[in-house]
Amino acid sequence: MSLIEVKNLNKSFGNLKVLENVNLNVEQGERIAIIGGSGCGKSVFLRSLELLEVPDSGKIFIDGEEITSKNADVNKIRRKMGMVYQKFYLFSHLNVMDNLCLAPVKLLKMPRKNAEALAMDWLSKVGLTSKFKAMPANLSGGQQQRIAICRSLMMNPKVLLFDEPTSALDPTMVGEVLAMIRMLAKNNLTMLIVTHEMNFAREVADRVLFFADKGIYEEGTPQKIFDNPEREKTIIFIRKLKYFSYEVNNKNFDSMQLHGGIHDFTEKYGISSRMAYRLELCCEELIYEMFAGCYENNNIPVKILIDILYSESNAKIEFNLTSSGNKFNPFEISDDSNDENNIHLGVNMLKKISDGKINYEYSDELNKIKIMLEK
């Protein structure tokens, strides 16, 4: 039995659907990093596990108990989870020791003396024993967040949920909080961590979930997600790709608009004028080749999609063209440069500037061309 089971989870805010049919199993001792762009539902998903956000439908089981059941003792089940928020939410009128002891004394009926001993044990592990009498206002942001984590641990939870625990911190304080989480990771504690710290996620996690399109878009080991992502949006996010897209729907398309778009795209990201010319050449030559090869029958609707992806991490540019219509590979033409009547000179030029890094395939009734260009 998994420690956490999520089945067909759905959550909307008005007409905005944030999570759709999300499924996940988390095993005891597993450390899961949750990454993705802003507004993709990461925090909503995490908060749904404790019913801080109430799902519209679906089921959530924590250690075998369904927290989404109408008859569930929600507060009892919540005690199996510790939540660490972006902000620290320490009680400002209580000192550190009182903040740490309040919940175990009130909820677990732990004797105050035992609670204080446990609190000092956790404070010693995070290097804050000298702060047990301090008020939250007199602590740094990093210290407050470490105290907040200790407060969650005082309840001996089966799983810790971290909702971007370093996002509210000054950069100089991020390291101390991440170091504490690393320490916990070594103790076989089950953790789900929403984070934007990619190197940290790679180091700590057993599994990484990339959220997009209202749920878990892709998942796998850190090596798979960070080094060999398979799906388009994961690749764009991980490799910090910059993206330009243009769609051609008829043979009388506005070529000047396309060239202007490429110019703006390359100028924005500091791509050379030489590379801008090459991209314009790719577009112009291939679009007209596809017109001739895929749409010789004027009754076939034109649909050509241009996607240009630029990776800042390795300065490589990937040019993609997808075309409907008849199967046609423009790169099967002859590259005989002695043919004065060779009307495919532009395509032959593309072969040369790409050093042969061209891939063509026909699948799902679509012509797909990929050209790799070095900046």
Side-chain angles (χ1 to χ4, degrees), residues 82-244:
M83 185 80 167
V84 180
Y85 304 90
Q86 296 178 22
K87 296 185 179 180
F88 326 120
Y89 297 119
L90 297 177
F91 293 109
S92 60
H93 65 291
L94 300 178
N95 66 24
V96 167
M97 182 58 72
D98 289 338
N99 263 282
L100 295 179
C101 292
L102 181 63
V105 170
K106 293 288 187 182
L107 300 177
L108 301 182
K109 307 304 181 184
M110 183 183 296
R112 172 75 186 205
K113 182 179 179 180
N114 293 359
E116 288 184 358
L118 180 60
M120 290 302 292
D121 183 49
W122 278 115
L123 289 174
S124 69
K125 290 178 180 177
V126 300
L128 292 175
T129 51
S130 64
K131 302 294 184 181
F132 74 98
K133 289 185 178 180
M135 301 301 290
N138 296 323
L139 300 173
S140 70
Q143 290 171 337
Q144 289 187 61
Q145 189 63 294
R146 281 187 281 165
I147 297 298
I149 296 172
C150 286
R151 182 178 58 183
S152 293
L153 293 166
M154 291 288 293
M155 296 293 289
N156 192 29
K158 289 182 174 291
V159 59
L160 271 186
L161 310 176
F162 293 90
D163 187 8
E164 298 199 31
T166 62
S167 63
L169 297 177
D170 183 281
T172 60
M173 301 175 186
V174 170
E176 61 191 77
V177 174
L178 297 183
M180 181 177 179
I181 299 175
R182 288 189 190 96
M183 178 194 74
L184 297 175
K186 295 177 181 178
N187 294 327
N188 203 37
L189 181 64
T190 309
M191 295 188 288
L192 278 74
I193 309 167
V194 171
T195 182
H196 58 272
E197 302 283 347
M198 297 299 107
N199 290 333
F200 170 73
R202 178 195 286 270
E203 177 186 349
V204 169
D206 302 309
R207 184 163 36 135
V208 177
L209 312 180
F210 175 68
F211 267 58
D213 292 351
K214 300 185 279 295
I216 302 170
Y217 182 81
E218 186 171 355
E219 65 177 291
T221 64
Q223 291 73 26
K224 175 183 180 296
I225 296 299
F226 291 112
D227 297 332
N228 298 291
E230 297 177 354
R231 302 191 67 188
E232 180 182 4
K233 291 185 180 180
T234 318
I235 294 171
I236 292 172
F237 180 84
I238 295 299
R239 298 183 182 172
K240 296 183 179 178
L241 295 177
K242 308 303 179 183
Y243 191 78
F244 172 81

Side-chain angles (χ1 to χ4, degrees), residues 20 29 68 82 121 154 209 222 291 341 343 355:
E20 185 173 20
T68 47
D121 183 49
M154 291 288 293
L209 312 180
F291 281 168
N341 297 317
I343 62 173
D355 294 327

Side-chain angles (χ1 to χ4, degrees), residues 5 13 46 58 60 64 148 156 270 275 333 337 374:
E5 294 182 71
F13 296 96
L46 204 69
I60 300 171
N156 192 29
M275 182 58 70
I333 62 173
S337 59
E374 301 285 345

Side-chain angles (χ1 to χ4, degrees), residues 14-78:
N15 294 325
L16 177 63
K17 180 162 283 190
V18 179
L19 300 174
E20 185 173 20
N21 295 326
V22 178
N23 294 278
L24 177 68
N25 282 13
V26 180
E27 304 305 323
Q28 175 68 44
E30 196 172 12
R31 300 179 297 275
I32 294 178
I34 302 174
I35 64 174
S38 298
C40 67
K42 307 184 298 294
S43 293
V44 172
F45 173 75
L46 204 69
R47 290 169 61 84
S48 295
L49 299 181
E50 284 202 315
L51 297 194
L52 298 176
E53 299 289 354
V54 180
D56 301 327
S57 61
K59 296 181 178 182
I60 300 171
F61 295 85
I62 307 297
D63 196 25
E65 296 186 81
E66 185 187 349
I67 194 172
T68 47
S69 170
K70 292 181 179 180
N71 300 320
D73 186 340
V74 173
N75 289 328
K76 178 185 175 184
I77 298 174
R78 278 177 176 163

